[in-house]
Amino acid sequence: MLKNTTMNLPDELVAKVRAYAAQNRTTMTAIVREHFEAITEPEREISDEDPLLAYSKGMLSRREAVRRLGLRDYADLLVALGDADLPMPLPPAHEIENQAATFARLWRMG
């Protein structure tokens, strides 16, 4: 069940978030929902022992994984994931929703 919630935010912030949402083909609701879900999940411990696995599970940023693994760039990180037979991390939920909506629009067009 979804619940409508009223929030009081500065006009300038709302305008910036709307612009960001439009650029990223998402909604303010999706952005807020994803952030709320992220901050209310139990703390996940990021493993210092295996940053590649932590990245694959979405527990470590791309930049931090490259740094911890001592790699040159993202391309090297992708090769390391492949060599370890690990999947790439899933994109955030709002990006998946946007991709699905785009696919549905394209499917209807054609």
Side-chain angles (χ1 to χ4, degrees):
M1 175 182 227
L2 300 176
K3 180 174 176 80
N4 287 331
T5 302
T6 301
M7 302 174 87
N8 295 313
L9 302 169
D11 291 339
E12 185 177 312
L13 177 60
V14 171
K16 288 179 182 178
V17 173
R18 280 191 178 136
Y20 174 87
Q23 282 180 322
N24 291 278
R25 294 186 173 168
T26 190
T27 63
M28 287 180 54
T29 299
I31 293 168
V32 170
R33 181 179 52 243
E34 181 180 313
H35 181 71
F36 284 178
E37 287 171 350
I39 65 172
T40 58
E41 286 182 5
E43 286 294 316
R44 297 185 293 182
E45 187 175 314
I46 296 175
S47 171
D48 287 328
E49 295 176 23
D50 193 354
L52 189 59
L53 181 60
Y55 172 71
S56 177
K57 290 182 175 183
M59 299 168 59
L60 196 61
S61 72
R62 175 188 306 179
R63 181 178 298 167
E64 184 64 13
V66 167
R67 186 189 70 74
R68 287 190 187 186
L69 292 164
L71 300 174
R72 183 182 45 154
D73 56 19
Y74 182 53
D76 284 350
L77 180 58
L78 293 177
V79 170
L81 281 172
D83 288 346
D85 199 27
L86 290 171
M88 292 187 56
L90 291 176
H94 76 273
E95 287 183 27
I96 294 172
E97 289 173 14
N98 290 340
Q99 291 171 5
T102 299
F103 174 79
R105 279 194 305 275
L106 292 171
W107 182 264
R108 284 191 293 267
M109 288 172 50

